[in-house]
Amino acid sequence: MTQTNELKQPTVLVVDDTPANIDVLVAHLTQENLELIVALSGEEGLSLAQQHKPDLILLDIMMPGMDGYEVCRRLKQDAATTDIPIVFLSARDSELDMEKGLSYGAIDYISKPFSIPVLKARLRNHLALKQKGDRLAELAGTDELTSLVNRRHFNQVFRQEWMRAIRNQSELSLLMIDVDYFKAYNDSLGHAEGDNCLKKIAQALLQGLRDPADIVARFGGEEFVVLLPDTDSAGAARVAERLRTLVQNLKLPHPGSANGGLVSISLGGATCIPNHHLTELGLLQQADTQLYKAKEGGRNRVCLEMAAKSQ
Ligand SMILES: [Mg+2]
């Protein structure tokens, strides 16, 4: 998922309660290789921002209900949205208004009426900075939402451990983890709660690992992956069951779950002694097949496979 970022058009969310203002912006920004999303209220803007995680938000200040300051404040408080640059677009043009807007964490403040070419130039600069920030975060190896290792960094560690296991002829286990009925969770409780849920699960998974060599990463969406070096299938089964129990014991209410109304995870695992005939991808696929079986078998459970040892 992260690999495609550079090819993707940047997404810009426009929030303004006056449809005519939105029309003007849309008319001028459509030539700009951007994906535009629009919201006509602060509440809608907040919810679309949480859902789409745009690369930039153009935010009006004076709106009935939730005003732009409040939208900005909430987005900045939430780890999942705090890095989205916010540009205020407002008819309020006093020094005090601008100072206030910027102190809420907005990256820029443009007063109306504004020059379209200047607005476009500023947008391009902010989007370029955002892209650099995203790239740095990815290179740093951290998943922004959960603070776990990201997929890119995981792949590097997996490669190193794989090579080490070949040299030492030691067993390597892998667990694929998926949150049960997560789409239903998001649909019924909203994306902000969904993000919170993922953060709590991430912490529980981290807590469940005992060996410093073990590593848990966010694999993407509601999927996690755990690598257990020097671990046989019995050891992997123990870790998997511990992780399943830890998440169950969080007792996070889940209105759409068939598992007692609580958030749960399914786990699939595979173990092998790596050699040059086997591949990392093969082990991942085996774990994934077991995860599928755990889902089919009713979720909130562990399925493990003893993969082929050296031929
Ligand atoms: Mg307004």
Side-chain angles (χ1 to χ4, degrees), residues 45-232:
L46 185 64
S47 133
L48 289 178
Q50 286 164 340
Q51 201 178 325
H52 293 275
K53 315 261 163 42
D55 295 294
L56 187 135
I57 302 174
L58 284 173
L59 184 57
D60 182 28
I61 292 179
M62 286 183 289
M63 294 182 284
M66 193 186 292
D67 69 8
Y69 293 131
E70 182 59 17
V71 175
C72 182
R73 196 184 63 79
R74 294 201 191 191
L75 290 172
K76 290 297 158 189
Q77 266 180 357
D78 183 349
T81 51
T82 192
D83 289 327
I84 304 174
I86 293 174
V87 175
F88 278 123
L89 267 183
S90 177
R92 296 163 76 149
D93 60 354
S94 77
E95 205 175 308
L96 206 67
D97 288 320
M98 293 193 177
E99 195 262 330
K100 184 175 176 187
L102 295 170
S103 75
Y104 272 71
I107 197 154
D108 206 351
Y109 191 112
I110 301 175
S111 35
K112 297 176 193 169
F114 48 81
S115 143
I116 290 286
V118 171
L119 173 76
K120 284 188 186 175
R122 285 186 168 181
L123 282 191
R124 277 184 221 121
N125 288 349
H126 291 315
L127 286 168
L129 271 176
K130 169 67 164 52
Q131 204 175 40
K132 278 188 192 168
D134 288 351
R135 188 94 186 107
L136 277 177
E138 200 193 320
L139 288 171
T142 309
D143 173 61
E144 277 180 72
L145 177 71
T146 61
S147 304
L148 294 182
V149 163
N150 67 14
R151 184 171 180 162
R152 175 198 175 91
H153 185 65
F154 175 82
N155 285 338
Q156 289 170 356
V157 176
F158 193 9
R159 177 89 267 215
Q160 288 160 7
E161 290 298 339
W162 184 266
M163 299 312 290
R164 206 172 61 85
I166 291 179
R167 284 196 305 275
N168 300 345
Q169 278 302 286
S170 54
E171 284 181 285
L172 188 63
S173 291
L174 186 93
L175 304 174
M176 290 291 295
I177 302 172
D178 192 79
V179 184
D180 296 329
Y181 307 108
F182 191 67
K183 192 186 173 299
Y185 188 89
N186 268 337
D187 288 347
S188 59
L189 300 175
H191 286 264
E193 270 314 305
D195 284 348
N196 272 331
C197 173
L198 292 176
K199 283 190 246 182
K200 287 179 185 156
I201 291 174
Q203 285 315 301
L205 298 178
L206 208 51
Q207 238 181 57
L209 300 183
R210 302 275 189 267
D211 191 319
D214 298 347
I215 178 171
V216 54
R218 175 134 180 249
F219 206 58
E222 71 271 26
E223 273 197 321
F224 299 89
V225 60
V226 173
L227 184 68
L228 305 165
D230 295 313
T231 306
D232 60 15

Side-chain angles (χ1 to χ4, degrees), residues 20-34:
N21 291 348
I22 293 203
D23 292 345
V24 170
L25 286 168
V26 170
H28 285 96
L29 295 177
T30 36
Q31 308 102 314
E32 291 289 292
N33 197 30
L34 297 172

